[in-house]
Amino acid sequence: MALTPQEIHAKEFTTSRSKWYDKSEVSDFLDQIVTDYDSLMQENQTLKTQLAEADANAKQVEEMKQSVNSSILIAQEAADRLKKQTEAEAEATLQQAQTEAQKIVMEANAKANALLTDSQTKNEALVAEKEGLDKEMGAFKSKIEGLLRAQLDMIQTDEWAAFQQPAAYQEPSATAGSEPASEAAVSEDSAETVVIFPESSEDSENFLNKDK
């Protein structure tokens, strides 16, 4: 066990009659001190070495820490730049999408308005055509009614009543000239009045125009 400073300070040597210290005791004590001092120096050197290694490790750790902090800072800056770039691209994409959407809506509205206008035009044309057809049908009906009324008035006349009376019987003449007269009488008796109604509106129109 190494000597402590107190033990060294309190060490007392045996004195001889001449009051000199015992040489062997002093030598042994000095040897002990040298041994302990050497151990202390070795331990001190070891501690210095360990301290130097610890300082080197601490320095290395500090450098690694600074490197990591620098890497973190660079990564943060890169992330910020990427975020700004992404936000800018997203904003540009959103604006482009909104512009295209507005364009599509405007085109759709234009097509819808064009279709609506076309439909209204066609509807107006159909209405006008129907009105024209209604007028033509009314005119045709009026002409038919006038024609039928004229036919009815005709069969209610005295001439028609006389025409309906049977012809008086006449004796056949011996002369050759009387035979055609008889045939004429038979033809007159067998004559009938036929009213022909047109089968279509076009035929009716032509028929009525012909009467005019």
Side-chain angles (χ1 to χ4, degrees):
M1 184 178 179
L3 295 172
T4 63
Q6 291 79 9
E7 290 176 344
I8 295 173
H9 182 70
K11 177 64 177 175
E12 293 183 359
F13 298 99
T14 303
T15 58
S16 62
R17 292 180 180 179
S18 59
K19 297 181 180 180
W20 296 98
Y21 293 120
D22 186 81
K23 183 178 180 180
S24 60
E25 289 182 3
V26 173
S27 297
D28 292 339
F29 187 71
L30 290 176
D31 291 338
Q32 182 66 36
I33 291 174
V34 169
T35 302
D36 293 342
Y37 186 75
D38 185 61
S39 298
L40 290 174
M41 288 184 65
Q42 290 180 2
E43 184 178 357
N44 187 30
Q45 185 63 35
T46 301
L47 292 174
K48 287 181 179 181
T49 302
Q50 293 177 355
L51 180 61
E53 292 177 355
D55 290 339
N57 291 333
K59 185 177 180 180
Q60 185 178 3
V61 169
E62 184 65 23
E63 292 177 354
M64 293 177 62
K65 181 179 178 181
Q66 292 179 359
S67 178
V68 170
N69 291 335
S70 178
S71 299
I72 292 174
L73 182 60
I74 294 173
Q76 184 65 36
E77 293 177 352
D80 293 339
R81 288 196 301 270
L82 181 60
K83 181 180 179 182
K84 291 180 180 179
Q85 182 179 358
T86 303
E87 290 176 352
E89 291 177 355
E91 183 67 21
T93 303
L94 179 60
Q95 291 180 357
Q96 183 179 0
Q98 290 177 349
T99 302
E100 291 180 356
Q102 291 176 356
K103 182 179 179 181
I104 292 173
V105 171
M106 291 177 62
E107 291 178 354
N109 290 333
K111 290 181 179 179
N113 292 331
L115 289 175
L116 180 60
T117 303
D118 186 60
S119 298
Q120 290 177 350
T121 303
K122 290 182 179 180
N123 186 39
E124 292 175 356
L126 290 175
V127 171
E129 184 177 359
K130 181 179 182 300
E131 291 177 353
L133 290 175
D134 290 340
K135 290 180 180 179
E136 292 179 0
M137 184 61 68
F140 177 73
K141 181 180 179 181
S142 299
K143 291 180 180 180
I144 293 297
E145 289 178 351
L147 180 62
L148 293 176
R149 193 174 292 109
Q151 295 292 332
L152 183 61
D153 293 340
M154 184 182 69
I155 64 176
Q156 290 177 353
T157 60
D158 295 337
E159 289 80 0
W160 180 264
F163 180 76
Q164 293 292 324
Q165 295 294 328
Y169 177 75
Q170 296 180 358
E171 292 292 335
S173 176
T175 62
S178 62
E179 184 176 355
S182 299
E183 292 179 357
V186 172
S187 300
E188 184 178 359
D189 292 339
S190 61
E192 294 181 357
T193 301
V194 179
V195 179
I196 300 175
F197 293 97
E199 295 181 355
S200 63
S201 59
E202 184 177 359
D203 295 337
S204 300
E205 186 70 20
N206 295 331
F207 180 77
L208 293 176
N209 291 332
K210 182 178 180 182
D211 291 341
K212 289 181 179 180

